Every structure is written in C-alpha cells, then in structure tokens.
Amino acid sequence: MTVFPIEQFSNIETPFYYYDLNLLKRTLGIISKIASDNGFHLHYAVKANANPRILETIKDFGLGADCVSGGEVKAAVEAGFAADKIMFAGVGKTDKEIEYALDANIRCFNVESLPELLNIDEIARRKKMMARVAVRINPNVDAHTHHYITTGLNENKFGISLEQLDDFVKTALTLENIDLCGVHFHIGSQIQDLTPFVTLCSNINEILRHLESLGALISIVDVGGGLGIDYEQPEENPIPDFETYFNIFKKHLILKPDQELHFEPGRSIVGQCGSLITKVLYVKEGVEKKFAIVDGGMTDLIRPALYQAHHKIENISNSESQIDDVYDVVGPICESSDTFGTDERLPLISRGDYLALRSAGAYGEVMASGYNCRKLPGSVFSDDHL
Ligand SMILES: *Cc1c(COP(=O)(O)O)cnc(C)c1O
C-alpha cells in the first residue's frame, strides 16, 4: 500500500509527483523474474516516464530501453542503460538523431517507412557502419482501447502495412548498410482485454513464415508494450497481471530457437508507483455544483484533458472522515477541459487539504508543460529525507 507522509509535505511546493519506490521495485522484481526465467528481453518504454531516478531504478534491474526520440536515446545512455539493449522507434527520426544512435551503437532501429530506411542506409554508408533494423509492422489488430492510443490499425501513421511489407523487405535486403534483423509491433496502450494480443501472436506467426520465404533472417521479435493498469482500484491492483500477459506470448507465438522475444512495457511498470499531489486552494459553491479548485492542473497531468482519462482522487488530508460530499475537482488553467473529476464523492474537503491523483506514474510528469507560464511540477521519492 502506498502511504503518503503528509506531515512532511508542508515544506514541499505543490503540485508535485510522489513516487513509491518500493512499489516500483516490487513491480520490477516480478517482471524481471518472469523475463529471466523465460529468456525474454525487456526494454522499458522511456516515454512513459523519463525521470532520472526512475530510469536509474529500472536500469538497475537489468532492463533495456525503448526510445522514441534522440533525446530519449540520450537520456537512456546517460542513465547507464547498456547500448546493446536500446531500441529506437518513431516515425520521424531526424538525421541528427540517426547519427547519434549509430555512434552510440544501439541494438536496433525500429523503422517505420521506406524513405526512413533509405535515409538510415545512406547515413550508415557515410559513416561506414551497419545499421541493425527491425521493421515496424502494422498488424491491423484492433486493441479496443481509446482511439488516440490505438496504434495497430491501418488508418494509423505508425509502421508498415502488410500490403507494403514485401516491397520494404525486398528493398531492405538489397541495401548494403542495413542489417534487417527484426520485426517490431506495438498495437496500442492501456490494453486490459488481452485477446488482441492473442490475435497479434497469430498474425506474427504468419508474418514470420512469410519473411522467411522472402529470405529475411529475423532474430528479434519485438511485440511492443501496451499492457494496461487498473486506474480505478490502484490499491487493490498495484501490480498488473504480468504472468497472464506473458503466458499469452509463450503459448501462442511460434519462434525458432535463435529468435529472441522482446517486450517494451511502459505504463505497466511505472503507472501505479506515481501520484500527483496537489493542494486545495478553494472550495467554491456554484449554483448546482461544488468545486474543489486545486493548484495542480492539466499542465501537470494532461491525461484527463487529452484522453478523457480518469485518475482516482483521494483526499489524503481527511481520508478517515465519515462525512463526505460531492465535488468537481478542477485545476487553475484557463481551459474547461482542465478538470480531474466530476461528481466525485470524497471525504469533506477544506482549503489546504492535499489530494492525491493516483496511478499517475506513466504519461504524467513526462507530459507536463509550461502553458500559462506555469512551473513544471517537482518530484519526491518515498526514500527522500524530507
Ligand atoms: C508507447 C510505446 C510503448 C509503451 O507502451 P505502454 O502502453 O506504456 O506499455 C512501447 N513501444 C512503443 C513503440 C511505444 O510507442
């Protein structure tokens, strides 16, 4: 259970992210044990949370990194991730980013289009290097998640469609500075009904057979991330059911002995360990509603405004109270979408109370912005001496 040391919060400027490092380490212990027992390769998706202490903790458990920009590759290298465990995906890699990643000698580029492949080949040729490449394939699997976080459908900007795969592979096999060694998939995020992963496996089996017939030697099979977390019951389900998730791939994927299975979990590792701590500025009595106006807003945690996500809200200053009331919990930003919850039944709220927005460890701090000339939120760790 995450315990918030609120007596020690008075010296810290709100809003800030509070990270439960014990929970992060327990989560990493479980996922890395399953991976090592099965010979799976894990690459943490840095975009979920790039806080240096989070990266360092994850690196200490031996995971690799999955990056989607040159900046993330740099953050991973600086955090001490082994270069041969770094993957680099993304539809718009710049020349500078490609050069940097080649110089760092990362494991693999996950390539998303033919012009990108040709560009990587040209840059590698100039540097007299070989670029290891996995083709990101769009398997046209519907992940049944929010429209904005579905990535595996044909209408999507990510990856190479099955119709265009042959062309891509045949070209890649002719390029002298490209070593086509892998296939990469990522069908979406916050996936809770796991059946799309079963579909993904059977599509991958077929794709691997086909690529073999084209003469491609595939040693890396990277199935991406996407496992969801329980946003409504973070205390009851602090650690996702990794066992069931991994068993799907164990059971349904048909790999050759020399083919490595790679995963890129993001949210499932860091989501539950973080909370946004915010202070109540005012309790405003509207005509039909009561508003708890807090000092944190969409600039600190944008998920509710961006994808209608809901984070469980707790009044951690008054959690034992028997008296409750119904509030809209809103931030100070000049946008109507700056709302964390509507009609939330919460223990009575007063000015100065601390609220915790739970399950905010993934896509929280890393997406913070300075809109409205606001300061970025700080971060506090459970083992900090406050
Ligand atoms: C975002 C992303 C991930 C991580 O997704 P989660 O849902 O956070 O697990 C993995 N791989 C790629 C290529 C991504 O873009």
Side-chain angles (χ1 to χ4, degrees):
M1 192 172 128
T2 297
V3 181
F4 297 100
I6 55 168
E7 5 16 276
Q8 289 157 44
F9 283 175
S10 55
N11 301 324
I12 308 166
E13 196 177 342
T14 48
F16 61 88
Y17 278 88
Y18 181 81
Y19 293 109
D20 180 347
L21 270 187
N22 289 325
L23 176 56
L24 176 59
K25 289 177 184 170
R26 274 202 292 138
T27 308
L28 285 164
I30 291 171
I31 195 171
S32 55
K33 170 90 170 57
I34 301 177
S36 68
D37 286 351
N38 291 284
F40 299 155
H41 300 255
L42 300 179
H43 306 266
Y44 165 64
V46 172
K47 77 174 192 281
N49 189 321
N51 183 301
R53 285 209 56 198
I54 298 269
L55 292 184
E56 187 191 317
T57 307
I58 293 171
K59 180 260 308 177
D60 285 344
F61 277 79
L63 279 76
D66 161 50
C67 302
V68 291
S69 73
E72 284 189 2
V73 175
K74 193 153 179 279
V77 168
E78 282 169 2
F81 283 89
D84 65 355
K85 291 184 182 174
I86 296 177
M87 309 294 220
F88 183 12
V91 295
K93 301 178 189 79
T94 66
D95 292 5
K96 233 173 125 181
E97 290 175 314
I98 293 165
E99 285 167 17
Y100 176 76
L102 279 170
D103 289 336
N105 200 18
I106 64 161
R107 178 71 193 269
C108 189
F109 290 87
N110 294 333
V111 173
E112 313 227 8
S113 69
L114 196 52
E116 183 198 339
L117 180 74
L118 299 174
N119 190 36
I120 293 176
D121 177 57
E122 193 180 309
I123 294 172
R125 178 157 43 253
R126 223 185 297 135
K127 288 180 163 296
K128 302 190 175 34
M129 294 174 92
M130 281 300 276
R132 286 175 293 273
V133 159
V135 50
R136 176 164 179 177
I137 301 168
N138 189 333
N140 208 18
V141 172
D142 189 348
H144 302 294
T145 182
H146 190 281
H147 186 60
Y148 286 179
I149 52 178
T150 303
T151 56
L153 286 171
N154 268 347
E155 62 199 61
N156 214 279
K157 73 174 176 183
F158 298 102
I160 306 283
S161 69
L162 293 170
E163 290 82 355
Q164 296 167 331
L165 184 59
D166 280 22
D167 257 0
F168 183 98
V169 169
K170 285 175 187 162
T171 305
L173 292 175
T174 66
L175 298 173
E176 281 177 15
N177 296 75
I178 295 289
D179 171 17
L180 178 68
C181 58
V183 287
H184 175 235
F185 305 84
H186 175 68
I187 59 172
S189 203
Q190 184 51 18
I191 297 169
Q192 287 183 291
D193 162 12
L194 301 184
T195 48
F197 291 119
V198 179
T199 315
L200 174 65
C201 287
S202 67
N203 291 9
I204 293 176
N205 291 337
E206 202 175 314
I207 289 166
L208 287 175
R209 272 199 305 270
H210 180 63
L211 292 186
E212 196 182 356
S213 75
L214 292 179
L217 286 175
I218 300 301
S219 56
I220 296 176
V221 178
D222 184 339
V223 296
L227 177 62
I229 62 169
D230 190 341
Y231 280 97
E232 290 313 309
Q233 297 190 297
E235 284 301 337
E236 291 80 350
N237 295 311
I239 299 176
D241 185 358
F242 291 122
E243 194 81 43
T244 304
Y245 169 73
F246 284 121
N247 276 336
I248 289 178
F249 294 90
K250 251 169 91 170
K251 183 167 168 215
H252 296 280
L253 263 188
I254 306 166
L255 298 183
K256 299 227 155 79
D258 59 344
Q259 285 177 327
E260 297 175 354
L261 182 51
H262 293 246
F263 294 87
E264 301 171 339
R267 186 192 315 268
S268 57
I269 290 180
V270 292
Q272 296 292 29
C273 77
S275 298
L276 180 70
I277 307 297
T278 180
K279 215 173 188 170
V280 177
L281 295 171
Y282 306 105
V283 179
K284 172 174 170 177
E285 307 264 355
V287 180
E288 284 165 16
K289 292 223 168 210
K290 225 178 229 182
F291 296 96
I293 302 171
V294 297
D295 60 4
M298 62 189 280
T299 53
D300 308 295
L301 177 60
I302 200 175
R303 297 188 65 258
L306 190 59
Y307 345 92
Q308 292 125 17
H310 182 255
H311 290 260
K312 188 170 181 225
I313 303 174
E314 291 173 3
N315 181 356
I316 55 175
S317 293
N318 197 20
S319 53
E320 304 295 315
S321 170
Q322 301 299 318
I323 314 166
D324 58 17
D325 207 343
V326 175
Y327 303 91
D328 278 13
V329 178
V330 300
I333 314 296
C334 296
E335 299 283 344
S336 297
S337 58
D338 187 32
T339 296
F340 289 130
T342 47
D343 300 324
E344 298 270 343
R345 183 162 290 281
L346 290 165
L348 214 58
I349 293 179
S350 322
R351 172 174 160 82
D353 282 355
Y354 290 103
L355 304 188
L357 284 104
R358 303 297 307 273
S359 315
Y363 309 106
E365 184 182 358
V366 77
M367 282 190 168
S369 80
Y371 181 45
N372 284 192
C373 289
R374 283 167 60 84
K375 262 175 84 172
L376 294 178
S379 58
V380 171
F381 287 80
S382 52
D383 66 349
D384 285 343
H385 297 284
L386 301 176

Short mmCIF file of all heavy atoms in Angstrom, two decimals, residues 249-285:
data_model
loop_
_atom_site.label_atom_id
_atom_site.label_comp_id
_atom_site.label_asym_id
_atom_site.label_seq_id
_atom_site.Cartn_x
_atom_site.Cartn_y
_atom_site.Cartn_z
N PHE A 249 1.98 -14.89 -24.89
CA PHE A 249 3.02 -14.95 -25.91
C PHE A 249 3.75 -16.29 -25.89
O PHE A 249 4.11 -16.84 -26.93
CB PHE A 249 3.99 -13.78 -25.72
CG PHE A 249 3.34 -12.45 -25.96
CD1 PHE A 249 2.72 -11.76 -24.92
CD2 PHE A 249 3.26 -11.92 -27.23
CE1 PHE A 249 2.08 -10.56 -25.14
CE2 PHE A 249 2.62 -10.71 -27.47
CZ PHE A 249 2.02 -10.03 -26.42
N LYS A 250 3.92 -16.81 -24.66
CA LYS A 250 4.57 -18.12 -24.53
C LYS A 250 3.76 -19.19 -25.24
O LYS A 250 4.28 -20.08 -25.91
CB LYS A 250 4.65 -18.49 -23.04
CG LYS A 250 6.02 -18.43 -22.48
CD LYS A 250 6.01 -18.53 -20.97
CE LYS A 250 6.11 -19.93 -20.45
NZ LYS A 250 6.32 -19.90 -18.96
N LYS A 251 2.44 -19.08 -25.06
CA LYS A 251 1.56 -20.12 -25.57
C LYS A 251 1.32 -19.99 -27.08
O LYS A 251 1.27 -20.98 -27.80
CB LYS A 251 0.23 -20.03 -24.82
CG LYS A 251 -0.76 -21.09 -25.19
CD LYS A 251 -1.92 -21.16 -24.20
CE LYS A 251 -3.03 -22.03 -24.78
NZ LYS A 251 -4.35 -21.55 -24.40
N HIS A 252 1.19 -18.77 -27.56
CA HIS A 252 0.72 -18.59 -28.94
C HIS A 252 1.78 -18.26 -29.98
O HIS A 252 1.54 -18.43 -31.17
CB HIS A 252 -0.38 -17.51 -28.98
CG HIS A 252 -1.60 -17.89 -28.21
ND1 HIS A 252 -2.56 -18.73 -28.72
CD2 HIS A 252 -2.01 -17.57 -26.96
CE1 HIS A 252 -3.52 -18.90 -27.82
NE2 HIS A 252 -3.21 -18.21 -26.74
N LEU A 253 2.93 -17.74 -29.54
CA LEU A 253 3.95 -17.40 -30.54
C LEU A 253 4.79 -18.62 -30.88
O LEU A 253 5.18 -19.38 -30.00
CB LEU A 253 4.89 -16.33 -29.99
CG LEU A 253 4.65 -14.87 -30.33
CD1 LEU A 253 5.83 -14.05 -29.84
CD2 LEU A 253 4.42 -14.65 -31.81
N ILE A 254 5.06 -18.78 -32.17
CA ILE A 254 5.92 -19.89 -32.59
C ILE A 254 7.25 -19.30 -33.05
O ILE A 254 7.34 -18.68 -34.11
CB ILE A 254 5.27 -20.68 -33.75
CG1 ILE A 254 3.86 -21.12 -33.35
CG2 ILE A 254 6.14 -21.88 -34.13
CD1 ILE A 254 3.02 -21.61 -34.51
N LEU A 255 8.28 -19.46 -32.20
CA LEU A 255 9.58 -18.88 -32.53
C LEU A 255 10.61 -19.98 -32.73
O LEU A 255 10.48 -21.08 -32.20
CB LEU A 255 10.05 -17.96 -31.39
CG LEU A 255 9.18 -16.74 -31.10
CD1 LEU A 255 9.81 -15.88 -30.02
CD2 LEU A 255 8.94 -15.91 -32.36
N LYS A 256 11.62 -19.64 -33.50
CA LYS A 256 12.75 -20.56 -33.69
C LYS A 256 13.71 -20.40 -32.51
O LYS A 256 13.71 -19.35 -31.86
CB LYS A 256 13.48 -20.18 -34.98
CG LYS A 256 12.62 -20.28 -36.22
CD LYS A 256 13.39 -21.02 -37.30
CE LYS A 256 12.47 -21.68 -38.29
NZ LYS A 256 11.94 -20.72 -39.28
N PRO A 257 14.54 -21.38 -32.24
CA PRO A 257 15.45 -21.30 -31.08
C PRO A 257 16.35 -20.06 -31.11
O PRO A 257 16.71 -19.54 -30.07
CB PRO A 257 16.30 -22.58 -31.21
CG PRO A 257 15.51 -23.50 -32.07
CD PRO A 257 14.66 -22.67 -32.96
N ASP A 258 16.71 -19.59 -32.30
CA ASP A 258 17.61 -18.42 -32.35
C ASP A 258 16.85 -17.09 -32.43
O ASP A 258 17.44 -16.05 -32.68
CB ASP A 258 18.58 -18.56 -33.53
CG ASP A 258 17.84 -18.67 -34.86
OD1 ASP A 258 16.61 -18.93 -34.83
OD2 ASP A 258 18.47 -18.48 -35.92
N GLN A 259 15.54 -17.14 -32.25
CA GLN A 259 14.77 -15.89 -32.27
C GLN A 259 14.50 -15.41 -30.85
O GLN A 259 14.00 -16.17 -30.02
CB GLN A 259 13.46 -16.10 -33.04
CG GLN A 259 13.71 -16.17 -34.54
CD GLN A 259 12.47 -16.43 -35.36
OE1 GLN A 259 11.57 -17.14 -34.91
NE2 GLN A 259 12.43 -15.90 -36.56
N GLU A 260 14.84 -14.15 -30.59
CA GLU A 260 14.66 -13.57 -29.26
C GLU A 260 13.31 -12.87 -29.19
O GLU A 260 12.92 -12.17 -30.13
CB GLU A 260 15.73 -12.51 -28.99
CG GLU A 260 17.15 -13.00 -28.97
CD GLU A 260 18.14 -11.84 -28.82
OE1 GLU A 260 17.72 -10.66 -28.84
OE2 GLU A 260 19.33 -12.11 -28.68
N LEU A 261 12.66 -13.01 -28.04
CA LEU A 261 11.38 -12.32 -27.85
C LEU A 261 11.59 -11.08 -26.98
O LEU A 261 12.10 -11.18 -25.86
CB LEU A 261 10.37 -13.28 -27.21
CG LEU A 261 8.96 -12.75 -26.97
CD1 LEU A 261 8.36 -12.12 -28.22
CD2 LEU A 261 8.07 -13.86 -26.44
N HIS A 262 11.23 -9.93 -27.54
CA HIS A 262 11.43 -8.65 -26.85
C HIS A 262 10.09 -7.99 -26.52
O HIS A 262 9.14 -8.06 -27.31
CB HIS A 262 12.23 -7.69 -27.75
CG HIS A 262 13.64 -8.12 -27.99
ND1 HIS A 262 14.73 -7.42 -27.53
CD2 HIS A 262 14.14 -9.21 -28.65
CE1 HIS A 262 15.85 -8.03 -27.89
NE2 HIS A 262 15.52 -9.12 -28.58
N PHE A 263 10.05 -7.33 -25.37
CA PHE A 263 8.86 -6.59 -24.94
C PHE A 263 9.26 -5.15 -24.60
O PHE A 263 10.39 -4.91 -24.19
CB PHE A 263 8.25 -7.21 -23.67
CG PHE A 263 7.68 -8.59 -23.88
CD1 PHE A 263 8.50 -9.71 -23.77
CD2 PHE A 263 6.34 -8.76 -24.18
CE1 PHE A 263 7.98 -10.99 -23.95
CE2 PHE A 263 5.81 -10.03 -24.36
CZ PHE A 263 6.63 -11.15 -24.24
N GLU A 264 8.29 -4.25 -24.73
CA GLU A 264 8.55 -2.84 -24.42
C GLU A 264 7.50 -2.27 -23.47
O GLU A 264 6.72 -1.41 -23.85
CB GLU A 264 8.55 -2.01 -25.71
CG GLU A 264 9.58 -2.47 -26.73
CD GLU A 264 9.42 -1.80 -28.09
OE1 GLU A 264 8.32 -1.28 -28.38
OE2 GLU A 264 10.39 -1.80 -28.85
N PRO A 265 7.46 -2.74 -22.24
CA PRO A 265 6.44 -2.24 -21.31
C PRO A 265 6.77 -0.83 -20.82
O PRO A 265 7.93 -0.52 -20.55
CB PRO A 265 6.51 -3.24 -20.15
CG PRO A 265 7.92 -3.76 -20.19
CD PRO A 265 8.34 -3.75 -21.64
N GLY A 266 5.76 0.00 -20.74
CA GLY A 266 5.95 1.35 -20.19
C GLY A 266 5.03 1.55 -18.99
O GLY A 266 5.43 1.38 -17.85
N ARG A 267 3.78 1.83 -19.31
CA ARG A 267 2.78 2.10 -18.29
C ARG A 267 2.70 1.01 -17.21
O ARG A 267 2.59 1.31 -16.02
CB ARG A 267 1.40 2.22 -18.96
CG ARG A 267 0.27 2.63 -18.06
CD ARG A 267 -1.09 2.42 -18.77
NE ARG A 267 -1.09 2.89 -20.13
CZ ARG A 267 -1.46 4.12 -20.51
NH1 ARG A 267 -1.91 4.96 -19.62
NH2 ARG A 267 -1.43 4.47 -21.78
N SER A 268 2.78 -0.25 -17.64
CA SER A 268 2.60 -1.34 -16.68
C SER A 268 3.71 -1.37 -15.62
O SER A 268 3.52 -1.91 -14.54
CB SER A 268 2.52 -2.69 -17.41
OG SER A 268 3.68 -2.89 -18.19
N ILE A 269 4.86 -0.77 -15.93
CA ILE A 269 5.95 -0.74 -14.94
C ILE A 269 5.83 0.47 -14.01
O ILE A 269 5.97 0.33 -12.80
CB ILE A 269 7.32 -0.74 -15.66
CG1 ILE A 269 7.56 -2.10 -16.32
CG2 ILE A 269 8.45 -0.41 -14.68
CD1 ILE A 269 8.87 -2.21 -17.05
N VAL A 270 5.57 1.64 -14.57
CA VAL A 270 5.66 2.85 -13.75
C VAL A 270 4.32 3.48 -13.37
O VAL A 270 4.28 4.38 -12.52
CB VAL A 270 6.52 3.95 -14.44
CG1 VAL A 270 7.98 3.52 -14.51
CG2 VAL A 270 5.99 4.28 -15.83
N GLY A 271 3.23 3.02 -13.99
CA GLY A 271 1.94 3.71 -13.79
C GLY A 271 1.51 3.83 -12.35
O GLY A 271 1.16 4.92 -11.87
N GLN A 272 1.53 2.71 -11.63
CA GLN A 272 0.94 2.72 -10.29
C GLN A 272 1.85 3.31 -9.22
O GLN A 272 1.39 3.60 -8.12
CB GLN A 272 0.53 1.30 -9.88
CG GLN A 272 -0.57 0.66 -10.72
CD GLN A 272 -1.95 1.30 -10.57
OE1 GLN A 272 -2.07 2.49 -10.27
NE2 GLN A 272 -2.99 0.50 -10.79
N CYS A 273 3.13 3.51 -9.50
CA CYS A 273 4.01 3.97 -8.42
C CYS A 273 3.94 5.48 -8.22
O CYS A 273 4.44 5.99 -7.22
CB CYS A 273 5.45 3.52 -8.65
SG CYS A 273 6.34 4.48 -9.90
N GLY A 274 3.30 6.22 -9.13
CA GLY A 274 3.30 7.68 -9.01
C GLY A 274 1.94 8.27 -8.73
O GLY A 274 0.92 7.74 -9.19
N SER A 275 1.91 9.34 -7.94
CA SER A 275 0.68 10.09 -7.70
C SER A 275 1.00 11.56 -7.85
O SER A 275 2.09 12.00 -7.48
CB SER A 275 0.16 9.87 -6.27
OG SER A 275 -0.16 8.52 -6.06
N LEU A 276 0.05 12.32 -8.38
CA LEU A 276 0.21 13.77 -8.38
C LEU A 276 -0.40 14.30 -7.09
O LEU A 276 -1.58 14.05 -6.80
CB LEU A 276 -0.48 14.41 -9.59
CG LEU A 276 -0.33 15.94 -9.65
CD1 LEU A 276 1.12 16.35 -9.97
CD2 LEU A 276 -1.27 16.56 -10.68
N ILE A 277 0.42 14.99 -6.31
CA ILE A 277 -0.07 15.56 -5.05
C ILE A 277 -0.37 17.04 -5.29
O ILE A 277 0.49 17.79 -5.76
CB ILE A 277 1.00 15.43 -3.93
CG1 ILE A 277 1.47 13.98 -3.78
CG2 ILE A 277 0.45 15.98 -2.62
CD1 ILE A 277 0.41 12.99 -3.37
N THR A 278 -1.58 17.42 -4.99
CA THR A 278 -1.99 18.79 -5.23
C THR A 278 -2.76 19.31 -4.02
O THR A 278 -3.35 18.53 -3.27
CB THR A 278 -2.83 18.88 -6.53
OG1 THR A 278 -3.24 20.22 -6.76
CG2 THR A 278 -4.07 18.01 -6.47
N LYS A 279 -2.72 20.62 -3.81
CA LYS A 279 -3.35 21.22 -2.63
C LYS A 279 -4.63 21.93 -3.06
O LYS A 279 -4.68 22.52 -4.13
CB LYS A 279 -2.37 22.24 -2.06
CG LYS A 279 -2.38 22.36 -0.56
CD LYS A 279 -1.24 23.28 -0.19
CE LYS A 279 -1.00 23.35 1.27
NZ LYS A 279 0.24 24.06 1.56
N VAL A 280 -5.62 21.87 -2.18
CA VAL A 280 -6.88 22.55 -2.47
C VAL A 280 -6.72 24.04 -2.17
O VAL A 280 -6.33 24.42 -1.06
CB VAL A 280 -8.03 21.95 -1.62
CG1 VAL A 280 -9.31 22.72 -1.87
CG2 VAL A 280 -8.21 20.47 -1.93
N LEU A 281 -6.97 24.85 -3.19
CA LEU A 281 -6.88 26.31 -3.00
C LEU A 281 -8.18 26.86 -2.44
O LEU A 281 -8.19 27.63 -1.49
CB LEU A 281 -6.56 26.99 -4.34
CG LEU A 281 -5.20 26.65 -4.95
CD1 LEU A 281 -5.08 27.21 -6.35
CD2 LEU A 281 -4.08 27.20 -4.05
N TYR A 282 -9.27 26.47 -3.08
CA TYR A 282 -10.59 27.00 -2.68
C TYR A 282 -11.65 25.94 -2.85
O TYR A 282 -11.57 25.12 -3.76
CB TYR A 282 -10.97 28.21 -3.56
CG TYR A 282 -9.93 29.28 -3.57
CD1 TYR A 282 -9.10 29.47 -4.67
CD2 TYR A 282 -9.74 30.11 -2.46
CE1 TYR A 282 -8.11 30.44 -4.68
CE2 TYR A 282 -8.75 31.08 -2.45
CZ TYR A 282 -7.93 31.24 -3.56
OH TYR A 282 -6.95 32.19 -3.55
N VAL A 283 -12.65 25.97 -1.97
CA VAL A 283 -13.86 25.20 -2.21
C VAL A 283 -14.92 26.22 -2.61
O VAL A 283 -15.28 27.10 -1.82
CB VAL A 283 -14.28 24.40 -0.96
CG1 VAL A 283 -15.57 23.64 -1.24
CG2 VAL A 283 -13.17 23.44 -0.54
N LYS A 284 -15.34 26.12 -3.86
CA LYS A 284 -16.24 27.14 -4.41
C LYS A 284 -17.63 26.55 -4.54
O LYS A 284 -17.80 25.49 -5.16
CB LYS A 284 -15.69 27.55 -5.78
CG LYS A 284 -16.60 28.47 -6.58
CD LYS A 284 -15.88 28.91 -7.85
CE LYS A 284 -16.83 29.62 -8.80
NZ LYS A 284 -16.12 30.12 -10.00
N GLU A 285 -18.62 27.24 -3.96
CA GLU A 285 -20.00 26.78 -4.06
C GLU A 285 -20.61 27.39 -5.32
O GLU A 285 -20.86 28.58 -5.37
CB GLU A 285 -20.81 27.26 -2.85
CG GLU A 285 -20.20 26.91 -1.51
CD GLU A 285 -20.78 25.64 -0.91
OE1 GLU A 285 -21.74 25.08 -1.52
OE2 GLU A 285 -20.25 25.19 0.12
#
